[in-house]
């Protein structure tokens, strides 16, 4: 998108802002105390939706600055 070239994601989250909002306070899934940057990938649930890991990835993308969520959300930047 930055280069003006059409892009599609078959599995990625395109509404980062919405995902973070939807998973706020989800105690059953939220494990923000895990340091996914320093644990083996084999120890990360990769067999289905893993909200804690996805939240960590998104926060890493935005430098842990929640104010950048709107700007980082691909859904907010796509056009026809």
């Amino acid at each position: 998108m930055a280069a003006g070239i059409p892009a599609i994601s078959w599995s990625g989250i395109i509404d980062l802002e919405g995902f973070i909002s939807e998973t706020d306070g989800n105690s059953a899934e939220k494990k923000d105390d895990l340091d996914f940057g320093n644990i083996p990938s084999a120890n990360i649930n990769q067999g289905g939706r893993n909200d804690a890991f996805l939240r960590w990835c998104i926060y890493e993308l935005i430098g842990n600055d929640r104010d950048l969520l709107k700007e980082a959300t691909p859904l907010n930047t796509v056009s026809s």
Side-chain angles (χ1 to χ4, degrees):
M1 287 182 288
I5 300 169
I8 188 166
S9 172
W10 295 109
S11 61
I13 300 171
I14 62 168
D15 186 4
L16 305 179
E17 186 178 28
F19 178 83
I20 292 296
S21 293
E22 289 170 12
T23 58
D24 274 344
N26 187 344
S27 60
E29 296 287 340
K30 187 177 177 187
K31 301 218 182 302
D32 290 336
D33 59 327
L34 291 176
D35 184 3
F36 289 109
N38 290 311
I39 63 175
S41 61
N43 293 348
I44 300 171
N45 173 10
Q46 298 181 33
R49 183 168 157 153
N50 184 342
D51 290 356
F53 178 64
L54 295 174
R55 286 177 62 86
W56 177 83
C57 289
I58 292 168
Y59 273 98
E60 287 293 305
L61 174 71
I62 60 173
N64 292 303
D65 183 351
R66 192 174 174 129
D67 291 336
L68 297 177
L69 273 173
K70 185 174 184 104
E71 182 181 341
T73 298
L75 186 61
N76 295 333
T77 59
V78 296
S79 67
S80 59

